[in-house]
């Protein structure tokens, strides 16, 4: 399921449960299970959800949310890796990234000191740093892609119609 459903509903995704619940936007209340939702701006770019996040205390940017990215925490796109010099002063190891169709791309893996999203600061997050020539990871629009390693810390509530998202911490 993806954009075609999400654009018509308010959708709660809990990757740890795992569960998806679909709500009619016309009757959706501003709280789930008695918990008031704290909404943050949601940016849709090419039908993909993006949110602002901060990492390592000073860097801030737009990140694509990929609920299908498994256990990956954050993958930094190659333009951000170059622009922010993210490989400098970091202990790294070589990794290969698999993509659609089994295509492999070279990347480096290391620790990101902290990652802040949805009002929650996560210390020592695993980061993958894409090398130039990594196809979709050469995207200059966003800093990177966040997957299950980060979004699994939350239940997410997507409201595409109103361009907002809520993060419910575990």
């Amino acid at each position: 399921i993806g954009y075609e459903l999400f654009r018509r509903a308010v959708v709660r995704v809990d990757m740890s449960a795992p569960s998806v619940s679909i709500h009619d936007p016309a009757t959706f209340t501003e709280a789930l299970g008695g918990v008031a939702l704290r909404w943050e701006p949601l940016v849709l770019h090419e039908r993909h959800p993006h949110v602002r996040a901060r990492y390592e205390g000073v860097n801030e940017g737009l990140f694509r949310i990929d609920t299908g990215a498994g256990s990956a925490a954050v993958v930094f796109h190659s333009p951000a890796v170059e622009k922010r010099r993210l490989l400098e002063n970091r202990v790294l190891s070589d990794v290969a990234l698999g993509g659609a169709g089994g295509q492999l791309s070279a990347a480096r893996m290391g620790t990101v000191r902290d990652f802040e999203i949805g009002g929650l600061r996560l210390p020592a997050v695993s980061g993958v740093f894409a090398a130039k020539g990594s196809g979709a990871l050469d995207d200059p629009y966003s800093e990177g892609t966040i997957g299950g390693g980060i979004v699994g810390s939350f239940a997410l509530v997507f409201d595409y119609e109103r361009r907002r998202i809520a993060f419910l911490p575990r």
Side-chain angles (χ1 to χ4, degrees):
I1 57 175
Y3 179 81
E4 289 303 319
L5 171 68
F6 280 49
R7 73 181 180 89
R8 297 183 189 139
V10 175
V11 180
R12 181 180 187 271
V13 177
D14 186 335
M15 291 178 57
S16 293
S19 67
V20 174
S21 56
I22 302 166
H23 306 269
D24 181 343
T27 59
F28 180 75
T29 61
E30 293 296 313
L32 282 174
V35 176
L37 299 178
R38 177 182 157 200
W39 294 104
E40 306 227 357
L42 178 69
V43 175
L44 293 173
H45 175 67
E46 295 181 352
R47 300 168 55 148
H48 296 285
H50 292 72
V51 295
R52 294 203 74 72
R54 178 183 306 275
Y55 58 97
E56 298 191 326
V58 295
N59 298 315
E60 185 175 322
L62 204 56
F63 287 81
R64 180 185 316 144
I65 296 176
D66 186 351
T67 57
S71 63
V74 60
V75 178
F76 291 92
H77 298 165
S78 62
V81 172
E82 290 180 23
K83 175 184 171 186
R84 304 255 195 210
R85 298 180 174 163
L86 296 178
L87 300 180
E88 293 179 7
N89 303 314
R90 193 179 307 273
V91 175
L92 298 163
S93 59
D94 293 328
V95 295
L97 298 174
Q103 177 183 355
L104 293 178
S105 299
R108 309 293 304 274
M109 184 174 199
T111 301
V112 178
R113 188 179 73 236
D114 58 70
F115 196 89
E116 187 176 336
I117 187 169
L120 183 65
R121 185 181 165 275
L122 305 166
V125 171
S126 175
V128 174
F129 306 91
K132 194 171 187 172
S134 298
L137 301 179
D138 288 335
D139 177 17
Y141 181 77
S142 57
E143 296 270 316
T145 300
I146 56 174
I150 289 179
V151 297
S153 302
F154 304 92
L156 304 173
V157 182
F158 294 93
D159 186 350
Y160 278 23
E161 184 176 313
R162 293 179 189 93
R163 299 289 197 268
R164 60 188 187 166
I165 186 171
F167 296 84
L168 301 172
R170 304 216 151 276

